[in-house]
Amino acid sequence: MDEEILELLRAKLNLSDSATITQEQAFTNAGLPIKTDLIIEDGSKIFLVEIKSRVTIDAIARLNLLKAVLKKQREKQYATNLFPVIAGKVIPLREEALAKEVDITLVQLPHSIKLSTSEYGPQKRIKITSNKSWKVITRLLKEKMTSIRQLALLEDVSYGWAHATIQSLINQGIVTKKGNYVGISDVNKLLNGVAWERPFENLRATEITVEYDSAIPAAKEISLALKIQESKFAFTSYTAGGLYTGYAVRHDAIYLYLEKGGIDFIKEAFGTGETKGIAVRIYTPDRDVFSDTKKIESITVTSPAQTLLDLAGLGYSGLDIAKAIVDSYARI
């Protein structure tokens, strides 16, 4: 759903920050093959919202019929405080008068808006590993249960994007909604979705063997050398995950995001050309991974959110440590 439409409805209907929005709701259980574009629940109020290019008598009649049937049946979730709404770009005077007669609220939409009411519908899957979506998802992991509005505010993303992301996850059975709050209910399905959508090993640029017996001492010395060189870098995957959680990880390799210019330096300063030693697996970032790093035991590591994304991208091999990150996410 277009963010501008959602914000306009929020203002015109005087919705609270805790209002929840469900898209393309069917009412077959009411005995009617009728859908509304949006259901907005705000406290005890329930808004039945249709979005049209032009408000028509047919649209008014269908929505008025739905309201009447739902009130007559007194279904538990639609028993009281039903408010039918039609948002349209063109509102003829005759239809405006008729809507007023049957207590249907009309909301004028700007003519510049391009309507696509199914854009974020149930069949649309948002890319969960995109920057903005992953910010919303990891914030939800941190908060456990919160409102979509709060997720948008905390991560400085638009309400429309936060809503689209959460709705897509609800449709996939990853997130559940209780009242005005949402929470992740299937971590395994979430992590599997990341592995399918963004395989971490696709980002690997090269691998260099360095003459160390253990991964952590190697990471410390490489981290110090790259810092002196003023290179952009951050250790990730198992290396960062082990430092964040204390989880026992493999000791024969370290995992490093590095700007291209730093690869030659690592080869010259630390490479041995031998097969025995610690493998430095170097990855080319597909997003900004350097702005939100942390330092643990003198090693510069990716943020918890980026570390989790990369570990999940390893699929089954990274599943246990990825779940350890999830379990401790609110504390790290």
Side-chain angles (χ1 to χ4, degrees):
M1 180 59 59
D2 189 287
E3 176 194 346
E4 188 176 354
I5 295 176
L6 294 177
E7 292 300 334
L8 186 59
L9 287 171
R10 183 173 295 280
K12 295 291 186 181
L13 302 178
N14 195 28
L15 301 177
S16 70
D17 287 346
S18 60
T20 61
I21 300 175
T22 305
Q23 301 204 36
E24 205 175 57
Q25 175 67 53
F27 290 96
T28 52
N29 60 334
L32 295 171
I34 292 177
K35 291 182 179 181
T36 59
D37 294 314
L38 301 174
I39 290 289
I40 302 176
E41 299 182 48
D42 193 10
S44 63
K45 295 180 179 180
I46 299 174
F47 298 90
L48 312 173
V49 184
E50 286 276 272
I51 299 172
K52 303 291 183 184
S53 292
R54 181 185 180 90
V55 177
T56 63
I57 291 177
D58 180 63
I60 293 170
R62 290 173 70 253
L63 195 55
N64 193 50
L65 174 62
L66 176 60
K67 179 185 71 171
V69 171
L70 290 174
K71 283 191 172 182
K72 182 74 172 179
Q73 292 184 351
R74 296 189 64 81
E75 293 183 20
K76 183 177 180 181
Q77 66 182 123
Y78 301 113
T80 60
N81 296 327
L82 284 171
F83 299 91
V85 178
I86 302 178
K89 295 167 69 173
V90 178
I91 305 176
L93 291 176
R94 181 184 61 174
E95 280 73 6
E96 183 178 12
L98 181 59
K100 187 175 182 180
E101 285 290 327
V102 294
D103 293 323
I104 290 179
T105 300
L106 298 183
V107 176
Q108 179 70 60
L109 296 178
H111 293 285
S112 59
I113 287 181
K114 293 183 179 180
L115 298 181
S116 178
T117 56
S118 62
E119 183 182 3
Y120 295 134
Q123 302 306 315
K124 180 71 175 181
R125 288 184 61 165
I126 299 298
K127 189 175 181 180
I128 61 176
T129 62
S130 71
N131 277 326
K132 290 191 291 185
S133 292
W134 193 243
K135 286 173 69 176
V136 171
I137 291 166
T138 51
R139 172 56 67 171
L140 185 54
L141 285 172
K142 191 176 187 69
E143 301 297 322
K144 306 284 188 189
M145 292 289 291
T146 190
S147 68
I148 297 175
R149 186 69 175 173
Q150 190 69 5
L151 290 172
L153 291 172
L154 289 171
E155 289 301 323
D156 193 27
V157 300
S158 71
Y159 176 83
W161 192 278
H163 176 269
T165 299
I166 295 302
Q167 187 61 52
S168 178
L169 294 176
I170 289 173
N171 294 335
Q172 295 174 59
I174 294 171
V175 165
T176 55
K177 184 176 74 169
K178 295 179 181 179
N180 293 329
Y181 291 86
V182 292
I184 293 176
S185 56
D186 195 329
V187 171
N188 283 344
K189 188 176 288 187
L190 171 65
L191 299 177
N192 288 338
V194 172
W196 175 83
E197 192 175 281
R198 183 183 178 269
F200 179 57
E201 284 301 312
N202 286 356
L203 302 178
R204 193 196 295 191
T206 189
E207 179 176 319
I208 300 166
T209 302
V210 296
E211 195 173 352
Y212 288 87
D213 296 326
S214 183
I216 295 302
K220 285 183 178 180
E221 291 205 21
I222 291 173
S223 190
L224 177 60
L226 288 170
K227 183 178 180 181
I228 292 172
Q229 288 291 316
E230 298 183 347
S231 297
K232 289 184 177 180
F233 72 98
F235 286 89
T236 187
S237 188
Y238 289 109
T239 309
L243 289 169
Y244 274 122
T245 64
Y247 190 91
V249 297
R250 54 187 303 174
H251 297 287
D252 61 343
I254 50 180
Y255 300 77
L256 175 66
Y257 276 122
L258 184 61
E259 61 181 358
K260 288 184 178 180
I263 294 177
D264 289 339
F265 170 73
I266 293 292
K267 287 181 177 179
E268 293 172 6
F270 294 94
T272 65
E274 303 293 331
T275 56
K276 186 177 180 181
I278 298 296
V280 182
R281 295 181 177 173
I282 299 174
Y283 298 82
T284 301
D286 61 347
R287 63 198 66 202
D288 179 11
V289 301
F290 302 123
S291 295
D292 191 25
T293 58
K294 294 181 180 294
K295 187 170 287 187
I296 304 176
E297 296 184 22
S298 301
I299 300 171
T300 299
V301 297
T302 50
S303 67
Q306 186 63 47
T307 301
L308 177 59
L309 184 67
D310 295 338
L311 285 168
L314 292 172
Y316 182 77
S317 64
L319 184 60
D320 287 344
I321 188 169
K323 290 172 74 172
I325 290 275
V326 170
D327 291 341
S328 59
Y329 199 85
R331 303 189 302 272
I332 60 178

